[in-house]
Amino acid sequence: MPHDAPVLIVGLGRFGAACAGQLDRLDREVLAVETDATLVQKWADRITHVVQADARSIEALQQVGAAEFQVAVVAVGSSVEASVLVAANLVDLGIPQIWAKAISASHGKILERIGVHHVIYPEREAGERVAHLVGGRMLDFIEFDGDFVLAKMNPPLVVQDQTLDSSGVRTRYKVTVVGVKSPGGKFTYATPQTVLLNDDLIIVSGTTSDVERFAALT
């Protein structure tokens, strides 16, 4: 599938509009489908193509050319029934890659069972991310499948003013310092000879528990 394939987005609430706006900034062609005329008018000048249509109707989707898309995002979240109907229509149209927002675990399970390829839980994921940030010294936190995370933080005191090799970050703390940024500089790849200073920012990878323990060091 082409990395720049046009994207169909159904729903222009906060999640859908943010997704459409970012894709547009990345020069991806976007067709947004929305039932609310006010939202259609609001976004008409900001997104490549915006049409007013009810995506719960497969005929309406066919009329706007939805079947020609290879990627679709179901951003309908306020109504589980509407979300499922839209997703089912997109599955029936044979769109190869469907992403859908879910508001609960049961909602997500239904979406998966009808054939949605990627289910997103934006509110839950945002809540979990914020919990990690407010609970420690991490400045940013991204969790991937399989309990693997990337975190941005200042280096703990115990690893400052020495090379990564001599501080034994990987062997002692079971995390890897991927990148480092000095004040006013840019992120660069870390090497075994990289010396971490107090005002540096570092990107650390590892399991959730190991990264959290590392971030909690003084």
Side-chain angles (χ1 to χ4, degrees):
M1 183 180 301
H3 72 279
D4 57 350
V7 180
L8 172 70
I9 295 182
V10 180
L12 283 174
R14 283 176 295 181
F15 176 75
C19 183
Q22 182 61 30
L23 284 168
D24 191 66
R25 285 188 287 274
L26 293 171
D27 294 324
R28 293 285 291 274
E29 186 176 352
V30 175
L31 170 63
V33 178
E34 171 59 54
T35 57
D36 189 327
T38 303
L39 289 175
V40 170
Q41 185 176 8
K42 176 181 178 181
W43 290 100
D45 295 330
R46 311 185 202 181
I47 300 171
T48 317
H49 305 291
V50 183
V51 296
Q52 184 178 0
D54 187 351
R56 293 174 297 181
S57 162
I58 194 167
E59 291 80 11
L61 284 172
Q62 288 171 327
Q63 288 175 5
V64 300
E68 299 172 12
F69 285 80
Q70 293 183 300
V71 184
V73 178
V74 182
V76 179
S78 57
S79 167
V80 172
E81 181 183 1
S83 168
V84 171
L85 283 172
V86 171
N89 286 339
L90 297 176
V91 170
D92 288 345
L93 289 174
I95 294 179
Q97 189 175 134
I98 302 171
W99 300 71
K101 170 187 174 183
I103 58 175
S104 66
S106 56
H107 181 196
K109 192 170 292 185
I110 293 170
L111 291 170
E112 289 174 350
R113 285 179 178 174
I114 64 175
V116 169
H117 309 98
H118 307 279
V119 177
I120 312 154
Y121 300 88
E123 292 185 356
R124 185 182 75 185
E125 290 167 3
E128 291 174 351
R129 178 173 172 270
V130 170
H132 286 290
L133 299 181
V134 301
R137 298 174 51 195
M138 288 181 276
L139 304 172
D140 206 350
F141 182 93
I142 303 172
E143 187 168 12
F144 300 89
D145 291 340
D147 190 35
F148 183 84
V149 304
L150 285 174
K152 180 170 72 174
M153 66 184 76
N154 294 113
L157 183 62
V158 293
V159 297
Q160 291 178 20
D161 301 316
Q162 53 189 313
T163 66
L164 290 174
D165 189 37
S166 61
S167 66
V169 169
R170 295 187 68 173
T171 55
R172 191 176 303 172
Y173 306 110
K174 299 180 181 179
V175 300
T176 299
V177 177
V178 180
V180 58
K181 177 181 181 292
S182 300
K186 297 180 179 180
F187 271 107
T188 58
Y189 290 111
T191 71
Q193 282 68 50
T194 297
V195 176
L196 302 181
L197 304 177
N198 181 62
D199 293 330
D200 287 345
L201 288 177
I202 58 174
I203 302 295
V204 178
S205 66
T207 66
T208 304
S209 56
D210 288 336
V211 170
E212 287 180 339
R213 276 194 292 269
F214 182 71
L217 293 171
T218 57

